Amino acid sequence: MQRELKIVLDGSSAPGMLQKCEIIKSVDTTGMACPYPSFESVKAMSLLNNDSNNANGCIEIITDSEESAFKSIPSICQKRTWQFLVLEEVKGLWRIRIKK
């Protein structure tokens, strides 16, 4: 049974748009301290952006780093004009969906 994901930060052009996007790649960065989840998100996006078949999909970063979920990854997305959605799965665990 899938848990209810709560939107905690939405940096997309349409509220909740990324909530139902097709996840092309999921990267689990739990246990990694900031800034490593950010590095992994940029690396995953570069792979996604190079494959035109994945133009409508998004990547998902799983993190237990509050700094990464609320500051570093959203900041990178804003600088690169990527859309993002931060979802809280349980207290202290976030799923961040990113789309170009």
Side-chain angles (χ1 to χ4, degrees):
M1 181 174 151
Q2 187 165 354
R3 296 177 187 246
E4 181 71 24
L5 300 173
K6 179 178 135 190
I7 297 173
V8 291
L9 190 58
D10 193 340
S12 65
S13 58
M17 175 188 77
L18 294 175
Q19 199 166 12
K20 296 180 181 176
C21 71
E22 179 187 355
I23 298 168
I24 303 298
K25 181 168 180 67
S26 184
V27 181
D28 188 349
T29 65
T30 54
M32 291 184 185
C34 197
Y36 295 102
S38 300
F39 296 158
E40 292 297 322
S41 63
V42 171
K43 187 165 58 173
M45 283 300 288
S46 69
L47 295 173
L48 178 68
N49 292 337
N50 291 335
D51 187 351
S52 60
N53 294 329
N54 297 329
N56 294 323
C58 64
I59 65 160
E60 181 176 70
I61 305 296
I62 303 165
T63 185
D64 56 358
S65 166
E66 185 172 352
E67 173 83 15
S68 294
F70 290 98
K71 292 183 182 171
S72 62
I73 294 176
S75 176
I76 286 171
C77 291
Q78 289 169 339
K79 286 177 185 171
R80 295 171 186 243
T81 64
W82 294 340
Q83 299 183 66
F84 67 93
L85 180 67
V86 180
L87 301 160
E88 186 174 44
E89 184 171 353
V90 295
K91 187 165 178 61
L93 184 65
W94 298 273
R95 292 178 178 268
I96 303 156
R97 297 188 182 160
I98 306 171
K99 179 178 177 61
K100 187 170 183 181

